[in-house]
Amino acid sequence: MPKHIQSLERAAAMLRLLAGGERRLGLSDIASALGLAKATAHGILRTLQHEGFVEQDPDSGRYQLGAELLRLGTTYLDVHELRARALVWTDDLARSSGEAVYLGVLHQQGVLIVHHVFRPDDSRQVLEVGAMQPLHSTSLGKVLSAYDPVAHSELVEVKREPFTARTVTELEDVERVVDETRSQSYATDYEETWDGVASVAAPVFDRHRLAVGAVGITGAVERVCRDGELRAELVAAVRDCARSVSRDLGSGPF
Amino acid sequence: MTDAHTAGPFIAAIDQGTTSSRCIVFDRDGRIVAVDQKEHEQIFPRPGWVEHDAAEIWNNVQEVVAGAMVKAKVVREDILAIGITNQRETTMLWDKRTGQPVHNAIVWQDTRTDTLCKELGGDVGQDRFRRETGLPLAAYFAGPKIAWLLDNVEGLRERAEAGDLLFGTMDSWVVWNLTGGVNGGVHVTDVTNASRTLMMNLSDLNWNEEIAAAIGVPMQVLPEIRSSSEVYGEVKGGTLGGLLGGVPVASALGDQQAALFGQTCYDVGEAKSTYGTGTFMLMNTGEKLIHSESGLITTVGYQIGEDDPVYALEGSIAVTGSLVQWMRDQMGLIGTAAEIETLASSVEDNGGAYFVPAFSGLFAPYWRSDARGVIAGLTRYVTKAHIARAVLEATAWQTREIADAMTKDSGVELAALKVDGGMTSNNLLMQFLADVLDAPVVRPMVAETTCLGAAYAAGLAVGFWQSTDDLRANWRRAAEWTPSMDAEHREGEYKNWLKAVERTMGWIEE
C-alpha cells in the first residue's frame, strides 16, 4: 500500500467525526477520539477552519462542520450574481476608457457575454448580452483559456477558425499565446477576430482564486492602440477593473 | 483615456437615506471620485412604528463627509459646493436653542398617523387637501407626523407655540447643522421636500396656513421654502467647519426628485423609474401642474433658483425588489437575489402563472387596501422557474400600469424610460420591461443618480455647470433594451395580468 499523506488522513478523520447530525465537539474530545496531541489536532482544525470546512462556535469554542463543506460539489458562481457585482466597476471602466466593456464566462466551447456596457458616446449600440465569442482569438477567450483548465481543454479541441489574416490557429502558437497571457496576467486581441477592432481583457477571480470570468474593453484600433500595441493606460484600467470585481467577489489581494 | 479626475474642482453630495448616510464627491464630468457611507440604527418601538435618532444621523453625516474628503484626497479649496438629497417625509423637531432633537425622527414608513389621517379626512376623505397639495391624506407625509409629535410628546406643543422648536425633514436638519446650527444655522427646506408635507400649495409654493392649522401645525415651526438649487448658506462651525468652512451649501432635493434630476429628465414627458425594494416612477410634466385622475401623486420635480418650478407626476409600487427578497428569504427558492434571473431564464415563459404581490393592498393606480397577494393561473405544469418568471414580470406590469396612468393624466406618451437602482442589473427584467412598455428602457452609466442629482443642482447654483444642457452632455447610456414583443402577445399578457389583479381585490373584508 502506497504511503498516504498523514495530515490529510487526520483531517478526513476529523470531518467524519464531526459529520452526522448537529454534532459539535471540543478540541480535547476531537484530539482524544483520534489519539492526537491537542496541539496537532488544533493545527489541523485551524487549517480546516480557514478553508471553511469547519466552524467554531464563538460561545462554546466547540467545532462543527462548516458551510463551505455543504456548498462543495454544488458550488458555482451564478453569472447574474457576477454581473450584479461587476456593474459599478464596469460602468466606471467604460467611462474612464471611453470604450465598450464586456464581461464573459466560459459556456460550452466559447465565451458567453453576460454583461455589456455601451461605449460612452451618443452612437447607436445594441446590447450584446447573450452573444458568444470564440476562445482562441478574442482577449476574453484567451484569458479564460489561460486561467480556467476547462476552457483550456475546450480551446485545444475546438475548431480554431481563421477570422482574419492575423488570427492564430495552430495549436502550438495558441499555446504560446496562452502562456504569455498567464505570465502577463492579461490578453489582447489585435485584429484577430474582427478587422479594425482590438480588445484587452483580464481575469476575474472568486474567493477561492478560481477564474470565474474575464472582463475587457473592445474598440477601434485607431482609438485603443498606439504603435501597433494596446495602449498601456487602457491595459492598466482593465486590470484595475478586474481586480476590483475580484475583490468584490471576496478574492484576496493580488 | 481620461482618468484625470483627481484634478478638481469637485462637488460633494450628501445622501441622507433611510438606512444610511453617504457622501459622494463628483468631478465635472459627473464621475465618482470618492464615496463614504455609514448606516444608522432603525428603531422599531412598536409594530408599524419606525424611528431614527437624528443626532446619530447628523454625526454620521459629518463622518461620511470627512471620510469622503480623505478618500478623495481633497481639501476645502477643491470643493465648490455641497448638495443634499434625503429620505423624503421623515419628520423631526428640534430645540433651536440647544440644537438637540426633542424626539426621534418619525420615518416615512411609520404608520402611526393612519388614524389621524382618517380623522383629518373627515367626510371628504383622503382627498381633502389633494387640490392644494397634490397628495392624498396618507401616513407617509410629514404634516400629520408633526401634529402627532406635538400632541403625544409631553410639553412639545407649548414649546412649539412659544417658538422654541423647529420642524424639518432631513434636508432642513442637515442644512441647519451644516450652516452653523445654534450659531445662526439657516432654517430652510426646498420645494420638493415641502411638497411632501401636505401643507404646501403646489401652485404658489407657499405654506398653506389653513391646512397647517387644520392639521394642527403652528406656523412658527416651519422652515422657509426655497428653490432646490441656490446657495442657502455656508458651512460654519462644528467638525466640518474646520474642514469645509465657507463652502456653499447649494442644493436640497428629496431622493426621488434628485434621481429625476440626476437622470437629466429635464423635458416634459421624460421619466425615470428607480427599482429598489419598492419602485418610484416620476415623470416630468414641466410647468404644468397636473391633477391626477388616475391615482398618481402630483409633486414638485425641482426648481432651479428663480426659475419656474417643474412639476412631476409620481407613481409608487410598494413591492418589487422585496418580492425577489421574499422568494429568497421566505420561500427559499433562490440563494441570492441575482439568482432569480437564472431560475427565470431556465424557462421560455411564465407557464400561464401571474403573481400580483399586493402584500399590503394595491397602490397606484388602484388604491385598494382590501387587496392581498395572488398567484393566478396555476396548473400542474407550473414550476418554480415559471413562478420566478412571474415574479419578475410583476415588476414590469406594475410599471406599465403606472406608465399608462401617467399617459392618461398628462396626455404625453412615454418615449423612453430611464431606469436606475439595484434591479437594473437584471437583464431579463429590463428586456421584459421594454417589451411590455413598448418603449426603450435605458440605463445610465452613473448608477448613483440620487447623489448625482443633488451634486448637479448644487453645481448649477454656484456656476460649476452653466445649464441643464451641460448636465445632459454628461449623461451616458450604459445599456438600452429595445422592445421586441409583438403587440398581440403583449396585449394578451396584459389582459391576463389585469385579470390576476382583479382577483386580489376584496380579500380583506373591512
Side-chain angles (χ1 to χ4, degrees):
Chain A
M1 195 172 150
K3 177 137 178 66
H4 295 293
I5 298 169
Q6 193 183 37
S7 55
L8 280 178
E9 285 181 332
R10 286 172 171 173
M14 273 180 196
L15 293 176
R16 283 201 196 90
L17 194 62
L18 291 166
E22 300 264 315
R23 285 167 70 105
R24 278 186 190 169
L25 294 170
L27 175 62
S28 19
D29 297 332
I30 296 171
S32 65
L34 299 177
L36 297 174
K38 263 187 170 181
T40 311
H42 188 237
I44 296 170
L45 280 166
R46 275 191 45 180
T47 307
L48 288 171
Q49 193 181 356
H50 180 74
E51 295 294 332
F53 292 167
V54 156
E55 284 167 7
Q56 190 176 19
D57 181 63
D59 298 328
S60 65
R62 288 163 176 264
Y63 293 90
Q64 62 191 36
L65 289 186
E68 189 53 39
L69 209 53
L70 305 173
R71 275 200 290 270
L72 206 64
T74 56
T75 182
Y76 72 105
L77 180 73
D78 187 286
V79 297
H80 301 112
E81 183 73 26
L82 178 61
R83 182 199 298 139
R85 301 292 188 99
L87 204 69
V88 274
W89 306 111
T90 47
D91 275 4
D92 200 57
L93 177 59
R95 190 110 200 190
S96 68
S97 66
E99 300 296 336
V101 176
Y102 296 86
L103 177 68
V105 300
L106 176 71
H107 180 67
Q108 292 164 354
Q109 269 112 46
V111 183
L112 173 69
I113 302 301
V114 295
H115 183 48
H116 170 199
V117 185
F118 287 174
R119 186 173 64 249
D121 56 27
D122 276 339
S123 68
R124 208 74 214 157
Q125 294 166 71
V126 176
L127 205 60
E128 291 173 46
V129 172
M132 293 291 293
Q133 291 189 1
L135 281 174
H136 66 286
S137 66
T138 63
S139 58
L140 293 174
K142 291 176 193 176
V143 165
L144 290 175
S145 304
Y147 288 92
D148 180 348
V150 181
H152 184 257
S153 68
E154 296 292 353
L155 172 76
V156 171
E157 283 166 25
V158 81
K159 180 172 175 293
R160 293 177 297 274
E161 216 176 308
F163 299 109
T164 73
R166 289 176 183 267
T167 313
V168 177
T169 55
E170 290 303 317
L171 185 58
E172 200 180 312
D173 302 329
V174 168
E175 289 286 19
R176 209 179 46 244
V177 170
V178 165
D179 287 343
E180 200 179 281
T181 301
R182 239 178 251 132
S183 71
Q184 66 188 13
S185 313
Y186 67 90
T188 60
D189 163 6
Y190 188 92
E191 294 193 306
E192 291 165 55
T193 316
W194 301 281
D195 282 321
V197 174
S199 72
V200 50
V204 172
F205 297 103
D206 71 0
R207 59 200 188 87
H208 306 294
R209 302 285 325 229
L210 297 175
V212 290
V215 66
I217 57 164
T218 300
V221 167
E222 297 76 19
R223 289 195 311 265
V224 301
C225 296
R226 190 183 299 132
D227 305 328
E229 301 251 346
L230 261 292
R231 287 159 55 202
E233 61 271 33
L234 292 180
V235 175
V238 165
R239 296 183 64 186
D240 274 347
C241 175
R243 267 192 288 268
S244 300
V245 179
S246 302
R247 212 169 29 238
D248 235 351
L249 292 170
S251 186
F254 286 70
Chain B
M1 184 81 188
T2 52
D3 213 7
H5 65 196
T6 40
F10 305 110
I11 301 287
I14 297 168
D15 177 3
Q16 201 304 295
T18 307
T19 56
S20 72
S21 301
R22 303 196 299 160
C23 179
I24 302 187
V25 178
F26 291 95
D27 70 6
R28 194 180 295 275
D29 295 332
R31 281 186 65 195
I32 294 172
V33 178
V35 186
D36 200 28
Q37 174 164 1
K38 195 163 186 211
E39 291 191 5
H40 53 261
E41 194 190 348
Q42 305 294 315
I43 304 162
F44 305 104
R46 292 191 203 179
W49 291 26
V50 191
E51 298 180 353
H52 289 159
D53 175 354
E56 180 194 4
I57 284 179
W58 170 237
N59 276 332
N60 289 359
V61 167
Q62 295 178 84
E63 269 185 47
V64 296
V65 171
M69 296 302 118
V70 171
K71 285 186 185 174
K73 301 190 187 75
V74 294
V75 291
R76 171 183 356 199
E77 288 68 31
D78 298 320
I79 301 290
L80 287 198
I82 297 184
I84 292 148
T85 177
N86 57 291
Q87 51 169 322
R88 303 182 300 176
E89 299 121 9
T90 295
T91 298
M92 63 171 301
L93 291 165
W94 69 94
D95 186 311
K96 71 172 168 197
R97 277 191 271 277
T98 65
Q100 293 305 308
V102 296
H103 191 271
N104 280 337
I106 304 182
V107 179
W108 58 276
Q109 303 134 320
D110 189 297
T111 56
R112 77 185 66 182
T113 48
D114 265 346
T115 325
L116 179 57
C117 286
K118 279 211 183 74
E119 287 167 13
L120 284 168
D123 298 338
V124 191
Q126 64 170 12
D127 286 342
R128 181 174 169 197
F129 305 131
R130 196 189 265 272
R131 183 102 222 129
E132 296 83 359
T133 67
L135 308 176
L137 264 163
Y140 290 126
F141 304 113
K145 291 188 199 286
I146 307 175
W148 188 94
L149 285 169
L150 296 179
D151 292 332
N152 290 276
V153 183
E154 182 71 33
L156 286 195
R157 186 162 286 282
E158 293 71 29
R159 287 164 74 186
E161 268 154 16
D164 293 341
L165 300 188
L166 301 178
F167 150 77
T169 37
M170 300 319 282
D171 55 317
S172 304
W173 173 238
V174 171
V175 173
W176 188 80
N177 278 298
L178 278 176
T179 55
V182 290
N183 299 309
V186 294
H187 186 222
V188 296
T189 188
D190 95 299
V191 289
T192 67
N193 278 294
S195 78
R196 317 296 292 191
T197 58
L198 267 168
M199 298 185 296
M200 187 189 78
N201 291 322
L202 281 177
S203 54
D204 64 10
L205 309 179
N206 287 318
W207 295 119
N208 184 312
E209 294 195 28
E210 281 161 41
I211 294 179
I215 294 177
V217 175
M219 294 302 291
Q220 301 92 295
V221 303
L222 298 179
E224 187 189 339
I225 301 174
R226 305 275 284 268
S227 81
S228 322
S229 171
E230 64 175 278
V231 176
Y232 309 122
E234 291 176 350
V235 176
K236 196 175 100 184
T239 53
L240 290 182
L243 198 63
L244 289 171
V247 172
V249 179
S251 77
L253 289 149
D255 51 14
Q256 298 305 325
Q257 281 90 340
L260 184 77
F261 204 74
Q263 284 271 29
T264 66
C265 294
Y266 305 138
D267 277 342
V268 175
E270 288 192 302
K272 73 90 204 174
S273 199
T274 303
Y275 292 89
T277 314
T279 287
F280 292 89
M281 182 166 165
L282 272 76
M283 179 193 257
N284 182 326
T285 62
E287 285 155 25
K288 213 161 82 190
L289 205 177
I290 294 173
H291 291 284
S292 177
E293 307 280 321
S294 320
L296 302 172
I297 282 171
T298 310
T299 196
V300 181
Y302 57 88
Q303 184 190 24
I304 302 171
E306 311 267 292
D307 294 357
D308 286 334
V310 169
Y311 294 99
L313 281 170
E314 171 174 329
S316 51
I317 309 171
V319 180
T320 50
S322 55
L323 183 58
V324 176
Q325 288 163 4
W326 182 86
M327 287 283 281
R328 182 193 65 199
D329 302 335
Q330 261 89 339
M331 295 294 106
L333 290 175
I334 45 174
T336 67
E339 278 174 33
I340 189 90
E341 187 175 353
T342 312
L343 185 55
S345 302
S346 66
V347 286
E348 289 292 306
D349 55 31
N350 60 21
Y354 299 82
F355 195 152
V356 187
F359 290 165
S360 44
L362 285 169
F363 286 44
Y366 302 100
W367 300 104
R368 291 280 298 255
S369 54
D370 63 345
R372 284 300 178 270
V374 152
I375 304 178
L378 292 181
T379 60
R380 186 87 196 257
Y381 170 76
V382 169
T383 67
K384 62 180 179 179
H386 294 118
I387 301 290
R389 198 133 188 144
V391 159
L392 294 180
E393 292 182 358
T395 290
W397 289 122
Q398 291 181 93
T399 307
R400 163 81 190 256
E401 292 194 272
I402 304 269
D404 282 0
M406 285 181 173
T407 301
K408 206 166 132 206
D409 283 338
S410 69
V412 183
E413 287 276 343
L414 190 69
L417 181 65
K418 293 177 171 178
V419 294
D420 50 62
M423 286 180 101
T424 56
S425 77
N426 192 312
N427 199 58
L428 187 67
L429 170 61
M430 291 299 114
Q431 181 58 53
F432 192 74
L433 188 57
D435 286 343
V436 306
L437 291 174
D438 195 23
V441 167
V442 187
R443 182 175 79 80
M445 214 157 261
V446 175
E448 305 291 350
T449 52
T450 305
C451 269
L452 187 63
Y456 278 173
L460 276 181
V462 297
F464 184 60
W465 291 290
Q466 298 307 316
S467 67
T468 51
D469 289 342
D470 279 6
L471 303 178
R472 247 185 226 288
N474 267 346
W475 194 88
R476 297 280 184 282
R477 186 186 289 116
E480 176 167 340
W481 293 267
T482 40
S484 65
M485 189 183 275
D486 73 70
E488 198 183 333
H489 182 58
R490 176 171 48 242
E491 290 320 306
E493 287 294 300
Y494 195 18
K495 220 176 110 195
N496 287 344
W497 164 262
L498 293 173
K499 265 195 326 206
V501 170
E502 282 289 312
R503 277 159 177 75
T504 66
M505 297 182 195
W507 180 259
I508 299 290
E509 289 170 30
E510 283 173 315

